[in-house]
Amino acid sequence: MRKIVTSVLAGVGLALACGTSVHAQEKSLTIFWAEWDPANYLQELGNEYEKETGVKITVETTPWADFQTKAFTEFNAHGDAYDLVVGDSQWLGAGSTGGHYVDLTDFFNKHKLNDVMAPATVKYYAEYPGNSGKYWAIPLEGDAVGWSYRKDWFEDPKEKEAFKAKYGYDLDVPKDFKALRDIAEFFYRPDQKKYGIAIYTDNSYDAMAMGFENALFSYGGELGDYSTYQVDGHINSDKAVAALDAYKELYKFTPPGWAKSFFVEDNQAITENLAAMSMNYFAFFPSLINESSNPNAKNTGFFANPPGPNGDQFAALGGQGISIVSYSQKQDEAMKFLEWFIKDETQKKWAALGGYTCSAAVLKSPEFQSATPYNKAFYETMFKVKDFWAVPEYAELLQQLNQRIYPYMIGGQGTAKETLDALAADWNATFKKYGRVK
């Protein structure tokens, strides 16, 4: 016993000699997220928290390609390497039903976060099942798909004159999907190494789904009925078919080699003078207003996803909520961090650092909307977003979408109707397998 006591005291002495204490060593939290700029902003915010509380925040990151795999490997092992995770919205189903996330319903209601956060972020980042009033995450990084464009190309008097002569209306930020298509066609000039548009086409994860959803939702289509899991007559409806045809039409006006493109390539379309317009998540727009990363920064503008033929206007939701990992040994400390994070002053700091706040009050403020060239478009978009299936089997549904849509979009195999009929059959079989439909 004496040896044990001596060892413990020696350990305490060593900790004190190093300028720390056993108590201080325990005051730390690890947050797991993907490797991208918002994670760096969160680390900066965490450093502020440490200054205020003495609790060290470490934001551990990994590349997007293995983010999901690494997170769920740790979850399934019931490991406590992470105290909180900034998980994709689609993880809500698996995270909650798998027992990986702490139930935050009481926390949510106590702080009236339904009133504090933008409604779409509550619906898609926090609640599962839909309309259940059960919450598993706090909206952290709002995001959605928007557009950047070359203002100098659009404002060139000769281009404006030629466009109006050809299409009969003024060249401007597209007012609908028809104008988006016309402008893409107008600037498509392969002989000049100049192209009309850059869109998402990669089928490795969710790029193709997010790109197609921008057309689908704005054409009045839906992935399915989220309450009944019925997909026939939804994902293969006439509106959905028209949307897929419209998205494939845009692919005709992309730069060469655009068959596996995602956020890196779509920003390069602007920085490397390739395309007049480019689709991307708002989270990747900060680099486009930085002259060190975009030589065309002064000539780059931004707009929200345009309406479809019937006036419907929606965009594919990105972004994530932050959840407490149920295997963490520091859940009380994690809860204190969340209480600090949701404060108005913290949300303003988060926005100032470059994070996309989900606070409705901050989003609506003139200060936020005028802070960057794209914040107003972001504000408009975040109240008009829809998301992919958030059920535990979402990865299977996503893979099936990629396997059906990619050959049609890129390879021209079959028709839009045949493609979506086949996808509806795949999804129906998957939902039957999991007992969601009979």
Side-chain angles (χ1 to χ4, degrees):
M1 176 65 74
R2 183 178 177 182
K3 288 182 179 179
I4 295 173
V5 171
T6 302
S7 297
V8 170
L9 290 173
V12 171
L14 179 61
L16 292 171
C18 293
T20 61
S21 68
V22 173
H23 178 68
Q25 287 176 323
E26 293 174 350
K27 294 284 188 176
S28 65
L29 289 169
T30 300
I31 303 172
F32 188 49
W33 203 359
E35 188 178 282
W36 63 330
D37 286 344
N40 299 330
Y41 308 149
L42 184 60
Q43 183 62 70
E44 291 184 55
L45 192 70
N47 295 342
E48 291 290 322
Y49 184 72
E50 183 179 4
K51 289 177 185 176
E52 291 183 27
T53 66
V55 178
K56 182 177 178 59
I57 301 294
T58 299
V59 180
E60 183 178 323
T61 64
T62 194
W64 276 105
D66 61 17
F67 178 40
Q68 176 181 305
T69 300
K70 191 170 181 180
F72 277 89
T73 297
E74 183 69 11
F75 294 162
N76 292 331
H78 293 189
D80 63 354
Y82 317 126
D83 302 301
L84 302 106
V85 62
V86 185
D88 263 346
S89 55
Q90 294 94 342
W91 294 9
L92 279 177
S96 58
T97 62
H100 308 312
Y101 289 173
V102 169
D103 186 339
L104 296 177
T105 303
D106 289 343
F107 179 92
F108 221 88
N109 293 334
K110 175 184 176 183
H111 296 285
K112 300 180 180 179
L113 294 184
N114 264 308
D115 300 325
V116 172
M117 301 296 180
T121 69
V122 172
K123 179 177 180 178
Y124 294 117
Y125 298 161
E127 186 181 35
Y128 187 83
N131 302 314
S132 65
K134 298 284 286 183
Y135 302 102
W136 306 91
I138 303 304
L140 180 138
E141 171 73 358
D143 200 7
V145 178
W147 295 86
S148 58
Y149 74 103
R150 287 294 298 272
K151 292 192 294 184
D152 50 339
W153 294 14
F154 275 57
E155 293 168 4
D156 184 309
K158 291 183 179 179
E159 299 287 16
K160 292 178 80 71
E161 182 181 357
F163 184 88
K164 188 161 188 177
K166 182 172 183 179
Y167 296 99
Y169 61 94
D170 291 333
L171 174 60
D172 202 347
V173 169
K175 67 182 187 305
D176 55 26
F177 253 80
K178 179 185 181 301
L180 188 74
R181 183 258 174 223
D182 288 348
I183 296 168
E185 179 187 53
F186 177 72
F187 282 112
Y188 183 72
R189 303 164 194 176
D191 57 325
Q192 300 175 25
K193 295 185 178 178
K194 199 171 185 178
Y195 306 92
I197 199 165
I199 61 172
Y200 287 169
T201 60
D202 184 70
N203 63 341
S204 302
Y205 183 46
D206 65 354
M208 181 66 82
M210 298 299 103
F212 169 51
E213 281 177 353
N214 281 302
L216 175 69
F217 297 145
S218 286
Y219 267 67
E222 298 287 350
L223 296 170
D225 185 324
Y226 289 174
S227 61
T228 66
Y229 302 99
Q230 294 297 318
V231 292
D232 258 318
H234 296 281
I235 189 58
N236 56 350
S237 69
D238 291 344
K239 290 179 178 179
V241 170
L244 183 55
D245 275 334
Y247 196 57
K248 188 181 189 320
E249 177 77 1
L250 295 179
Y251 179 63
K252 289 165 48 177
F253 309 118
T254 59
W258 223 253
K260 291 283 287 183
S261 63
F262 201 6
F263 53 86
V264 172
E265 294 81 7
D266 277 25
N267 264 10
Q268 287 173 342
I270 295 295
T271 63
E272 297 178 9
N273 302 302
L274 288 174
M277 302 175 291
S278 179
M279 164 188 290
N280 223 334
Y281 287 116
F282 279 90
F284 296 107
F285 287 162
S287 66
L288 293 184
I289 61 171
N290 186 335
E291 292 185 20
S292 65
S293 52
N294 179 17
N296 304 307
K298 291 181 179 178
N299 289 313
T300 301
F302 304 89
F303 61 91
N305 195 50
N310 299 310
D312 296 292
Q313 185 178 19
F314 295 97
L317 184 74
Q320 297 88 23
I322 185 168
S323 300
I324 298 176
V325 179
S326 63
Y327 317 112
S328 167
Q329 303 301 307
K330 305 172 184 177
Q331 292 182 26
D332 289 343
E333 202 63 62
M335 202 73 79
K336 291 177 185 176
F337 174 78
L338 294 184
E339 287 179 342
W340 177 82
F341 178 77
I342 63 173
K343 291 180 178 179
D344 285 347
E345 56 265 35
T346 307
Q347 287 296 301
K348 290 175 183 176
K349 287 180 183 178
W350 176 229
L353 285 168
Y356 279 104
T357 178
C358 297
S359 164
V362 177
L363 286 172
K364 291 176 181 177
S365 69
E367 293 82 6
F368 175 82
Q369 292 184 34
S370 61
T372 74
Y374 46 77
N375 274 13
K376 184 171 175 56
F378 175 73
Y379 158 72
E380 293 169 351
T381 301
M382 285 309 294
F383 291 87
K384 299 176 181 178
V385 288
K386 294 186 179 183
D387 201 12
F388 194 73
W389 298 98
V391 291
E393 62 272 20
Y394 89 93
E396 291 179 49
L397 302 171
L398 185 60
Q399 182 181 38
Q400 289 163 345
L401 180 145
N402 283 328
Q403 289 173 340
R404 293 297 183 184
I405 290 183
Y406 191 84
Y408 170 69
M409 274 283 303
I410 308 304
Q413 297 180 21
T415 66
K417 176 64 174 169
E418 291 167 348
T419 297
L420 295 180
D421 280 345
L423 178 59
D426 291 341
W427 281 0
N428 193 47
T430 299
F431 286 137
K432 281 184 178 178
K433 181 172 72 172
Y434 288 94
R436 299 191 186 280
V437 295
K438 294 181 179 180

